[in-house]
């Protein structure tokens, strides 16, 4: 157990990190991610409220559809990355990072108060639900379908339904996750979370997994960790996250930091988040690139699936082409490395036919 964002969380369970990581890729694992902040946004002006804070096109989301988006500041930096879902129940469902929970909630509440003062209809509710992530292809769908009356085959990646799961009512199932695998996150009333977890763990294919596997899985999938790979000093253009900006939002430039971000798009950012791999010994996670190609590694670990070291970091744009050779420094020892493409391991996100 380790401290994380004010919580005490499991780093790994009895089977260990490597076995847990590989089991998630080959079967499926259950992660307790109840430390994440879950917020519900109500009112007829809820979309205008959310779009005043984030870069995504929330208005275009169909009922039940969600998107990864970014809270930005006036300098174009990323305050947090979060998932916003336009539920079929006439509210927005927002999941934010635990490490950013306090500042995110302050931003949301301040903005809501500003809009309410001008007569807008918007109000927030912080959910006390637990959040369980069942991740892994191909077992996840088979395991979960046994406890659903809804047809999981109709639920595409980044879509969400309110439903009963293994007899537990009041759940929200969202087809998403942080592993690169087909998976879901289940928001479940806290008082019945243990019951649901035990039901899922009653299937031999399902193992418990902790923070260590969650981190190595997301890195293989090329996904950012807030506070490491992105923060308030990094813009969406530098982070390779411009795909989160809706076309309408780019044209309107009506989100925080729009002028800075769109200027970077036009002029090209000076640095870019890139994938780096090398076969030499030594673990990261924090090191630097050798000075002849200035840059910084932000996340890294030995890849359980690839059998080599992988990392993400920021490299000067002039040296960011895939195939560029460079040197990483780990504990004062230098290793030859190469810039590669992300994700390191192909993702298995499910798109309904």
């Amino acid at each position: 157990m380790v401290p994380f964002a004010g919580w005490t969380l499991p780093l790994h369970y009895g089977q260990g990190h490597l076995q847990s990581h590989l089991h998630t890729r080959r079967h499926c694992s259950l992660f307790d991610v109840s430390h994440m902040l879950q917020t519900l946004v109500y009112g007829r002006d809820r979309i205008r409220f959310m779009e005043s804070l984030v870069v995504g096109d929330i208005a275009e989301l169909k009922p039940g559809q969600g998107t990864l988006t970014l809270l930005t500041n006036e300098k174009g930096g990323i305050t947090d990355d979060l998932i916003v879902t336009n539920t079929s129940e006439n509210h927005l469902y927002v999941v934010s990072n635990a490490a950013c929970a306090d500042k995110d909630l302050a931003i949301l509440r301040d903005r809501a108060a500003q809009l309410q003062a001008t007569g807008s209809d918007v109000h927030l509710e912080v959910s006390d639900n637990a959040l369980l992530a069942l991740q892994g292809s191909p077992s996840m769908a088979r395991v979960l379908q046994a406890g659903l009356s809804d047809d999981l085959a109709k639920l595409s990646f980044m879509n969400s339904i309110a439903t009963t799961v293994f007899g537990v009512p009041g759940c929200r199932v969202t087809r998403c996750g942080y592993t690169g695998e087909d998976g879901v996150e289940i928001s479940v009333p806290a008082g019945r979370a243990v019951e649901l977890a035990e039901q899922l763990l009653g299937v031999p294919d399902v193992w418990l997994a902790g923070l260590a596997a969650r981190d190595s899985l997301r890195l293989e999938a090329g996904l950012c960790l807030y506070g490491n790979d992105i923060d308030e000093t990094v813009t969406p253009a530098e982070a390779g996250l411009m795909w989160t900006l809706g076309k309408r939002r780019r044209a309107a430039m009506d989100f925080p930091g729009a002028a800075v971000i769109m200027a970077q798009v036009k002029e090209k950012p000076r640095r870019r988040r890139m994938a780096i791999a090398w076969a030499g010994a030594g673990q990261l996670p924090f090191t630097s690139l050798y000075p002849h190609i200035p840059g910084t590694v932000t996340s890294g670990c030995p890849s359980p699936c690839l059998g080599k070291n992988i990392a993400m970091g920021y490299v000067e744009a002039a040296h960011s082409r895939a195939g560029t050779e460079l040197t990483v420094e780990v504990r004062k020892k230098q290793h030859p490395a190469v810039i590669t493409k992300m994700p390191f391991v192909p993702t298995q996100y499910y798109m309904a036919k």
Side-chain angles (χ1 to χ4, degrees):
M1 303 294 286
V2 295
F4 181 84
W7 299 75
T8 300
L9 299 178
L11 192 63
H12 60 80
Y13 293 86
Q15 63 270 21
H17 165 225
L18 177 62
Q19 292 83 358
S20 182
H21 177 113
L22 295 174
H23 186 86
T24 308
R25 292 270 185 250
R26 296 166 181 168
H27 302 282
C28 69
S29 298
L30 183 66
F31 300 80
D32 182 359
V33 292
S34 302
H35 54 294
M36 305 284 279
L37 174 66
Q38 300 176 72
T39 309
L40 311 179
V41 185
Y42 295 93
R44 66 176 179 272
D45 297 310
R46 61 189 180 276
I47 290 176
R48 182 165 67 90
F49 159 77
M50 188 56 61
E51 287 194 348
S52 71
L53 298 171
V54 303
V55 302
D57 192 340
I58 308 305
E60 76 170 358
L61 296 176
K62 299 175 183 178
Q65 185 180 20
T67 185
L68 178 74
T69 190
L70 307 172
L71 275 172
T72 49
N73 60 31
E74 293 301 331
K75 295 182 180 179
I78 300 171
T79 302
D80 196 10
D81 61 321
L82 40 85
I83 292 177
V84 177
T85 299
N86 179 26
T87 74
S88 299
E89 294 73 38
N90 296 316
H91 66 270
L92 300 179
Y93 170 59
V94 184
V95 179
S96 315
N97 286 303
C100 301
D102 290 343
K103 70 174 181 179
D104 287 3
L105 199 53
I107 291 170
L108 292 171
R109 284 173 169 164
D110 285 351
R111 184 59 178 149
Q114 291 170 10
L115 291 179
Q116 289 163 356
T118 61
S120 294
D121 178 26
V122 60
H123 61 279
L124 309 177
E125 177 184 318
V126 176
S127 173
D128 61 358
N129 277 10
L131 193 62
L132 302 177
L134 186 66
Q135 301 283 304
S137 314
S139 298
M140 182 284 297
R142 174 180 55 80
V143 170
L144 188 61
Q145 186 62 75
L148 288 180
S149 56
D150 301 89
D151 185 0
L152 201 57
K154 296 180 179 178
L155 190 68
S156 283
F157 178 61
M158 294 305 293
N159 280 261
S160 177
I161 53 172
T163 187
T164 296
V165 183
F166 284 98
V168 179
C171 294
R172 173 164 297 282
V173 174
T174 306
R175 202 151 196 167
C176 65
Y178 199 42
T179 63
E181 296 295 322
D182 183 20
V184 294
E185 290 184 353
I186 308 169
S187 180
V188 52
R192 302 193 69 177
V194 172
E195 173 189 340
L196 178 55
E198 289 177 342
Q199 291 256 30
L200 294 168
L201 291 167
V203 181
D205 262 8
V206 183
W207 287 9
L208 280 167
L211 283 183
R214 185 169 158 85
D215 190 52
S216 54
L217 287 159
R218 69 90 191 168
L219 183 53
E220 286 186 342
L223 303 175
C224 294
L225 173 63
Y226 193 86
N228 281 37
D229 310 303
I230 51 176
D231 58 31
E232 294 189 13
T233 69
V234 176
T235 69
E238 294 171 329
L241 294 173
M242 286 301 296
W243 59 269
T244 63
L245 275 72
K247 184 177 180 180
R248 174 179 61 86
R249 305 302 309 282
R250 294 186 190 214
M253 293 182 64
D254 57 352
F255 51 87
V260 175
I261 294 167
M262 297 312 297
Q264 277 194 346
V265 173
K266 184 177 181 180
E267 300 164 4
K268 306 300 181 185
R270 294 180 181 178
R271 60 174 181 165
R272 293 180 177 175
R273 178 175 64 93
M274 301 305 299
I276 304 160
W278 77 100
Q283 299 182 21
L284 292 175
F286 303 107
T287 184
S288 60
L289 307 181
Y290 197 52
H292 74 276
I293 298 182
T296 304
V297 169
T298 53
S299 288
C301 70
S303 165
C305 289
L306 301 179
K308 60 184 177 183
N309 289 296
I310 59 173
M312 286 194 291
Y314 286 85
V315 178
E316 286 190 349
H319 303 290
S320 63
R321 186 182 298 274
T324 300
E325 295 180 352
L326 67 164
T327 302
V328 293
E329 187 174 282
V330 184
R331 297 184 182 90
K332 299 183 179 180
K333 292 185 179 180
Q334 295 165 7
H335 304 272
V338 64
I339 292 177
T340 185
K341 294 182 179 180
M342 285 187 282
F344 296 97
V345 173
T347 55
Q348 304 291 330
Y349 303 133
Y350 175 82
M351 304 304 297
K353 297 179 180 179

